[in-house]
């Protein structure tokens, strides 16, 4: 892992490289420098929760939703009562040949 | 010269905690709500609970961070409530909070220079250093709008251009680290005069001396050096110079020739350019002449400094023409002076 | 929860505004006071990642999904096989006039 | 993953089951241990924001989207122009009895 990279020589410019946890008028802010990431890593059955919501689960739901939407775009969803009624009406007006 | 700020607001510095110990995983850590502080975190720490200030920051060195444990943190004790100490009042113009060195290498080696109080605080042509891997809070309040210096290094980054340093000062870290009414500005020229330059701190002399407590003295005639807040025991050697005099070279010469001698090891020696007002017939001022004040300070008695003063005077008399020195005299707290030969 | 307890009666009302980091039975909890935010801020080309997923991208997908859903609500999705079959059946029963 | 590997032999004693926030080469890493959570809790009208996006709102949108999708699956979405046209065409071909 990169954590084990060689120590930064004293005096090198690192001022903007270091992540910070800061409070700003009572707001809690986590910030990183340019090209740096904020990462949430779960392991085993660990969770990240945001105000009682399971972040990992919800993020996976986004993809499920996306898949479902694509499926509906291609194959349609359920049949709306409006269409069902109209089809039934037409059905009664036609006869089987 | 390089002037380095000594205090820090590092998490690992046990003197920053009221219990004189770095908190561990059974402790409750309290930052006072209104304490505006930038904390540098060097390594990883367990916490039980930490109340952050309403405005503040934690700078996380690579590998640094916080974690919690289930149950008790072994080796931490029963757990206490510990407070981060209030150091908001640490003043830029407190000479005890700076250390000076000729070079950055000397600074890292711990090879520090002694100077009068006015010059212990950064001069207008100095490089100011706040230690890398460290944060701090400094109160820059003074009667002046700005405090000009050559450069400022913060968190390992050296600022010598005002536009970039202004940007840093307006950042969150900058605002937490530099407080007070005066604005530190960088980009000042370094001292271009080989014979030395005026530090520029005489305007702050009173403010500087307000932070200094003077020691009691037992010498016969304590001396009050220019730019210093306290009378001292020791000697003041005055060097009159002409073209060709180089203060830095002369400082090194005196240190190598004399201060390395065991008999002088308790002496602190500082050199500075001072401006002595000239008086017509000893009464009417008509101008100032620059001269070099060599201050030798030695404990409460000052018994060896008279010998050092003679060594310096004799060196100046025999090698003065090569060094650009035109004359030298001294006064010692023992009562003797170079006039009495 | 203690955060929501009444103000401490010694005038230190700001205490509740202090963000906290604490251990709750071995879970790591970050909390803020009322009306205060928790913010994750990257800069430049920084990212927020949740277990190798790019959170910024996923959050934008939520909005895409919402737009797609609204479109389906108005304009329908694909035509389901059920409806297609029924329409075809009716088609065979009618003749062009 | 490296997180689950045996303790790193450089003296860092943070066990793998401890939830933690660490700086790693400028990246800010929140990692949960096994069966441990990292929780971000606001109170009252507080929010969680990710780079100007309101995470709290977006997470709730995920659930709204899921609900909408389920509704579309059961009750259909809007009626597509294709179906409407076909129904209209069939309508003209039949007569009311």
């Amino acid at each position: 892992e990169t954590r084990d990279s060689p120590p930064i020589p004293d005096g090198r410019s690192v001022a903007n490289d270091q992540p910070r946890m800061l409070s700003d008028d009572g707001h809690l802010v986590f910030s990183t420098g340019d090209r740096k990431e904020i990462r949430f890593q779960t392991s085993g059955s660990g969770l990240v929760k945001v105000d009682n919501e399971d972040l990992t689960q919800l993020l996976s739901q986004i993809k499920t939703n996306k898949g479902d939407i694509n499926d509906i775009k291609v194959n349609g969803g359920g049949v709306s009562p409006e269409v069902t009624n109209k089809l039934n009406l037409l059905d009664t007006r036609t006869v089987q040949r | 010269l390089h002037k380095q700020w000594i205090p820090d607001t590092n998490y690992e510095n046990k003197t920053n905690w009221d219990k004189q110990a770095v908190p561990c995983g059974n402790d409750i850590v309290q930052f006072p709500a209104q304490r505006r502080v930038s904390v540098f975190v060097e390594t990883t720490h367990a916490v039980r609970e930490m109340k952050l200030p309403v405005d503040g920051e934690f700078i996380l060195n690579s590998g640094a961070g916080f974690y919690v444990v289930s149950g008790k943190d072994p080796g931490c004790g029963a757990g206490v409530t510990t407070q981060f100490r209030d150091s908001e009042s640490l003043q830029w113009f407190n000479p005890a909070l700076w250390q000076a060195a000729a070079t950055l290498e000397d600074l890292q080696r711990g090879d520090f220079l002694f100077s009068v109080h006015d010059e212990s605080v950064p001069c207008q042509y100095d490089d100011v250093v706040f230690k890398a891997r460290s944060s701090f809070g400094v109160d820059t309040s003074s009667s002046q709008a700005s405090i000009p210096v050559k450069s400022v290094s913060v968190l390992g980054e050296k600022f010598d251009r005002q536009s970039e340093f202004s940007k840093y000062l307006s950042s969150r870290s900058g605002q937490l680290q530099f407080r007070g009414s005066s604005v530190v500005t960088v980009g000042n020229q370094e001292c271009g005069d080989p014979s030395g330059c005026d530090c520029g701190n005489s305007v702050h002399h009173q403010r500087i001396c307000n932070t200094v407590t003077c020691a009691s003295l037992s010498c016969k005639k304590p001396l009050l050096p220019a730019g210093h807040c306290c009378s001292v025991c020791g000697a003041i050697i005055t060097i009159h110079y002409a073209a060709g005099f180089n203060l830095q070279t002369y400082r090194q010469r005196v240190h190598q020739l004399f201060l390395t001698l065991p008999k002088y090891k308790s002496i602190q020696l500082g050199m500075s350019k001072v401006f002595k007002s000239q008086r017509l017939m000893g009464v009417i001022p008509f101008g100032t002449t620059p001269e070099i004040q060599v201050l030798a300070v030695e404990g409460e008695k000052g018994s060896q400094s008279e010998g050092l003063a003679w060594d310096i005077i004799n060196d100046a008399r025999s090698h003065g023409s090569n060094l650009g020195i035109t004359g030298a005299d001294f006064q010692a707290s023992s009562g003797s002076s170079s006039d009495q030969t």
Side-chain angles (χ1 to χ4, degrees), chain B residues 44 60-70:
Chain B
T44 312
L60 304 175
N61 188 41
S62 194
F66 296 97
Y67 64 99
V68 297
V69 297
S70 306

Side-chain angles (χ1 to χ4, degrees), chain B residues 170-198:
Chain B
S170 64
S171 75
R172 182 146 199 92
S173 295
Q175 294 200 325
L176 293 168
Q177 290 163 338
F178 294 89
R179 295 182 288 263
S181 60
S182 307
V183 181
V184 178
T185 59
V186 302
N188 226 26
Q189 292 294 308
E190 67 186 315
C191 173
D193 183 346
S195 70
C197 293
D198 175 28

Side-chain angles (χ1 to χ4, degrees), chain A residues 48-59:
Chain A
V48 176
K49 293 181 95 171
V50 176
D51 282 336
N52 296 323
E53 300 286 356
D54 178 339
L55 186 62
T56 316
Q57 193 180 49
L58 282 174
L59 295 187

Side-chain angles (χ1 to χ4, degrees), chain B residues 52-193:
Chain B
L52 280 61
V54 172
D55 281 290
E57 70 170 359
F58 295 80
I59 304 171
L60 304 175
N61 188 41
S62 194
F66 296 97
Y67 64 99
V68 297
V69 297
S70 306
K72 288 279 181 186
D73 183 8
C76 177
V80 293
T81 297
T82 184
Q83 287 232 8
F84 200 74
R85 294 174 80 169
D86 189 2
S87 54
E88 268 184 323
S89 53
L90 295 179
Q91 292 180 46
W92 175 281
F93 289 102
N94 183 343
L97 302 181
W98 297 94
Q99 45 200 192
T103 64
L104 214 50
E105 292 70 43
D106 283 355
L107 213 51
Q108 280 157 3
R109 265 201 304 268
D111 222 343
F112 303 126
L113 294 170
F114 173 77
S115 43
V116 293
H117 289 128
D118 281 7
E119 296 192 19
S120 295
V121 171
C123 299
Q124 55 189 343
Y125 46 79
D126 282 340
D127 292 295
V128 175
V129 178
F130 294 93
K131 284 171 273 183
R133 295 169 187 269
S134 159
S135 195
F136 58 92
V138 58
D139 180 356
T140 61
S141 294
S142 81
S143 58
Q144 308 296 303
S146 68
I147 303 171
V149 295
K150 182 164 163 260
S151 74
V152 173
S153 298
V154 179
L155 288 165
E157 188 164 0
K158 183 175 176 178
F159 296 96
D160 52 14
R161 286 170 46 188
Q162 183 53 25
S163 56
E164 281 162 26
F165 189 55
S166 293
K167 209 186 289 172
Y168 183 78
L169 286 179
S170 64
S171 75
R172 182 146 199 92
S173 295
Q175 294 200 325
L176 293 168
Q177 290 163 338
F178 294 89
R179 295 182 288 263
S181 60
S182 307
V183 181
V184 178
T185 59
V186 302
N188 226 26
Q189 292 294 308
E190 67 186 315
C191 173
D193 183 346

Side-chain angles (χ1 to χ4, degrees), chain A residues 30-42:
Chain A
F30 300 95
S31 71
T32 50
D34 187 24
R35 279 167 296 125
K36 299 301 179 184
E37 301 175 355
I38 296 175
R39 299 179 187 146
F40 298 93
Q41 294 179 340
T42 57

Side-chain angles (χ1 to χ4, degrees), chain B:
Chain B
L1 301 181
H2 290 78
K3 304 271 169 74
Q4 180 168 266
W5 179 253
I6 298 167
D8 65 56
T9 47
N10 292 1
Y11 198 90
E12 285 79 15
N13 183 345
K14 61 182 184 181
T15 67
N16 284 330
W17 299 98
D18 69 344
K19 299 286 189 295
Q20 296 288 320
V22 180
C24 48
N26 299 334
D27 295 337
I28 294 178
V29 180
Q30 280 186 331
F31 285 83
Q34 300 305 334
R35 170 89 155 86
R36 296 172 56 84
V37 64
S38 168
V39 176
F40 189 85
V41 187
E42 173 115 39
T43 59
T44 312
H45 300 273
V47 288
R48 180 171 138 214
E49 175 167 4
M50 182 152 107
K51 287 180 187 159
L52 280 61
V54 172
D55 281 290
E57 70 170 359
F58 295 80
I59 304 171
L60 304 175
N61 188 41
S62 194
F66 296 97
Y67 64 99
V68 297
V69 297
S70 306
K72 288 279 181 186
D73 183 8
C76 177
V80 293
T81 297
T82 184
Q83 287 232 8
F84 200 74
R85 294 174 80 169
D86 189 2
S87 54
E88 268 184 323
S89 53
L90 295 179
Q91 292 180 46
W92 175 281
F93 289 102
N94 183 343
L97 302 181
W98 297 94
Q99 45 200 192
T103 64
L104 214 50
E105 292 70 43
D106 283 355
L107 213 51
Q108 280 157 3
R109 265 201 304 268
D111 222 343
F112 303 126
L113 294 170
F114 173 77
S115 43
V116 293
H117 289 128
D118 281 7
E119 296 192 19
S120 295
V121 171
C123 299
Q124 55 189 343
Y125 46 79
D126 282 340
D127 292 295
V128 175
V129 178
F130 294 93
K131 284 171 273 183
R133 295 169 187 269
S134 159
S135 195
F136 58 92
V138 58
D139 180 356
T140 61
S141 294
S142 81
S143 58
Q144 308 296 303
S146 68
I147 303 171
V149 295
K150 182 164 163 260
S151 74
V152 173
S153 298
V154 179
L155 288 165
E157 188 164 0
K158 183 175 176 178
F159 296 96
D160 52 14
R161 286 170 46 188
Q162 183 53 25
S163 56
E164 281 162 26
F165 189 55
S166 293
K167 209 186 289 172
Y168 183 78
L169 286 179
S170 64
S171 75
R172 182 146 199 92
S173 295
Q175 294 200 325
L176 293 168
Q177 290 163 338
F178 294 89
R179 295 182 288 263
S181 60
S182 307
V183 181
V184 178
T185 59
V186 302
N188 226 26
Q189 292 294 308
E190 67 186 315
C191 173
D193 183 346
S195 70
C197 293
D198 175 28
C199 174
N201 279 343
S202 51
V203 67
H204 302 294
H205 184 71
Q206 197 52 53
R207 183 174 294 273
I208 288 168
C209 291
N210 283 343
T211 67
V212 175
T213 308
C214 296
S216 62
L217 303 171
S218 59
C219 46
K220 192 172 162 193
K221 284 181 72 179
L223 307 162
L224 182 58
H228 210 55
C229 300
C230 303
S231 293
V232 297
C233 296
I236 297 172
I237 304 108
T238 302
I239 304 287
H240 306 279
Y241 67 92
F245 178 75
N246 184 307
L247 180 61
Q248 180 60 17
T249 309
Y250 185 61
R251 181 184 283 124
Q252 283 170 359
R253 176 186 177 83
V254 170
H255 275 257
Q256 279 163 16
L257 280 181
F258 307 119
L259 285 192
T260 51
L261 300 176
K263 60 177 170 177
Y264 296 143
K265 74 176 198 299
S266 65
I267 294 181
Q268 292 185 297
L269 189 122
M271 287 190 195
S272 43
K273 178 179 270 192
V274 297
F275 291 85
K276 191 69 63 78
S277 55
Q278 292 186 316
R279 288 168 190 273
L280 198 60
M281 294 178 296
V283 183
I284 307 154
F286 68 93
T288 58
T289 22
E291 52 192 38
I292 303 304
Q293 170 179 274
V294 180
L295 170 63
V297 178
E298 189 189 11
E300 57 175 40
K301 283 211 174 106
S303 52
Q304 295 296 323
S305 47
E306 195 180 321
L308 173 62
W310 275 119
D311 283 347
I312 290 173
I313 296 280
N314 289 332
D315 177 56
R317 285 177 182 167
S318 38
H319 299 100
S321 54
N322 296 331
L323 299 167
I325 293 173
T326 55
D329 48 70
F330 82 87
Q331 287 223 304
S333 58
S334 60
S336 36
S337 74
S338 50
D339 302 336
Q340 306 166 323
T341 43

